[in-house]
Amino acid sequence: MLYDRIKIILAGAVFPDDCRCIVCDKEIPKDSKYCMCEDCTRDFPFNNGRICVSCGAPIGTESCYCLECQNHNKDFDFVRSSLKYEGVAKRLLIQFKFYGKRWLANYFGEMLTETYLQNVIDAQVIVPVPISYEREKSRGYNQSMLLAKVLSRKLGLPIVSDVLIKIKDNRQQSALSVSERRENVVGTYGIFNRDRVKGKKVLVVDDILTTGSTISEVARQLKIAGATNVYGLVVASPKYILQMENNAI
């Protein structure tokens, strides 16, 4: 009896009830990386294969650039993503963005921190991509700001949130074709307090990159304000960008 009780206590210490894999809900050690079990970590769609050197999207060819970046100039220096926007990663990101699971920002933020360090990015300030007041009020939070806060804490970089303001509540990018996305973001953002980014290297943080139109427009505005470099860091990018022309993700 006593031996059985000790086993239960020890099991609770190693596998506490409130520490479960964010993918499969299996009990895991408290210090498990990204709060995932070994099996789910091994199968998770990390973006560690061949990527577009400009937007960071996973590509399945020997080219250095995806077709989107080959055909359209981007105003950012480069963007990198931690994950492929597919499978369980896509499901978790949708839950994070639209269904109130804001605590997932801690684990996505850890992934972004590793991606930042692996790519030797030398930013001086962080700018989260803003959303409209109406959308943030309805959702209860800006998912990009949640990610930026984790990155700021881990990297020791300040967040500058009073420079880039969304001045037009445009249509959701996820509902548009590739060409419509480019047009949809024009005139969406305004710049204030330019001195906060003038002469600085800026890291723009967002959740998902598809065509790169949003971060490109943000980068254009920041460079007008005097930023010397603008890098993008996103949680996930889908593969084969141009397939979304008639079936946007």
Side-chain angles (χ1 to χ4, degrees):
M1 292 283 294
L2 179 59
Y3 178 71
D4 289 339
R5 287 187 61 193
I6 292 173
K7 284 201 303 183
I8 292 172
I9 293 171
L10 290 175
V14 178
F15 298 100
D17 290 339
D18 61 347
C19 194
R20 294 178 175 274
C21 174
I22 60 174
V23 177
C24 69
D25 202 39
K26 182 171 70 177
E27 288 187 356
I28 55 175
K30 197 170 186 178
D31 60 350
S32 296
K33 194 172 186 179
Y34 311 133
C35 199
M36 289 192 289
C37 68
E38 290 184 5
D39 290 339
C40 289
T41 301
R42 183 179 60 250
D43 297 335
F44 210 64
F46 292 101
N47 189 17
N48 51 15
R50 191 171 183 85
I51 63 170
C52 171
V53 298
S54 176
C55 74
I59 54 178
T61 69
E62 295 301 312
S63 175
C64 292
Y65 297 89
C66 68
L67 290 177
E68 170 68 18
C69 290
Q70 288 180 36
N71 294 321
H72 300 278
N73 292 328
K74 304 297 181 182
D75 288 288
F76 48 71
D77 289 77
F78 62 79
V79 180
R80 294 293 179 262
S81 60
S82 299
L83 306 172
K84 299 173 185 175
Y85 190 58
E86 62 187 35
V88 292
K90 180 177 179 179
R91 174 172 60 83
L92 289 172
L93 268 168
I94 289 173
Q95 291 174 350
F96 168 58
K97 185 171 183 175
F98 297 112
Y99 294 97
K101 294 194 175 182
R102 61 182 75 188
W103 49 269
L104 286 170
N106 292 319
Y107 309 116
F108 288 140
E110 288 183 20
M111 297 174 192
L112 288 175
T113 300
E114 287 198 3
T115 301
Y116 178 95
L117 296 173
Q118 288 167 358
N119 287 276
V120 198
I121 302 172
D122 58 346
Q124 295 169 281
V125 296
I126 298 174
V127 173
V129 173
I131 59 178
S132 68
Y133 172 79
E134 292 77 12
R135 197 165 293 169
E136 185 167 354
K137 183 178 179 181
S138 172
R139 191 174 297 168
Y141 56 94
N142 175 1
Q143 69 280 357
S144 299
M145 175 61 82
L146 296 182
L147 296 169
K149 287 180 177 179
V150 178
L151 278 165
S152 176
R153 185 173 68 248
K154 289 182 173 294
L155 297 173
L157 297 176
I159 296 174
V160 178
S161 59
D162 59 351
V163 171
L164 188 70
I165 309 295
K166 192 163 190 180
I167 58 176
K168 182 178 76 172
D169 191 11
N170 57 340
R171 297 165 64 191
Q172 284 273 14
Q173 289 283 85
S174 59
L176 305 177
S177 70
V178 172
S179 58
E180 288 173 331
R181 288 171 191 240
R182 299 188 199 102
E183 298 171 3
N184 190 48
V185 296
V186 176
T188 297
Y189 303 100
I191 290 289
F192 302 86
N193 302 315
R194 297 178 178 222
D195 289 345
R196 302 290 302 277
V197 296
K198 186 176 181 179
K200 290 186 171 64
K201 299 176 182 179
V202 180
L203 179 69
V204 176
V205 176
D206 206 359
D207 55 344
I208 303 165
L209 178 141
T210 47
T211 63
S213 298
T214 296
I215 292 186
S216 183
E217 176 64 14
V218 166
R220 187 177 74 84
Q221 294 291 340
L222 290 170
K223 287 185 175 180
I224 289 173
T228 58
N229 300 88
V230 179
Y231 312 108
L233 196 60
V234 300
V235 178
S237 300
K239 195 173 183 180
Y240 305 126
I241 283 180
L242 287 192
Q243 288 184 0
M244 297 182 299
E245 180 66 47
N246 296 315
N247 185 23
I249 292 179

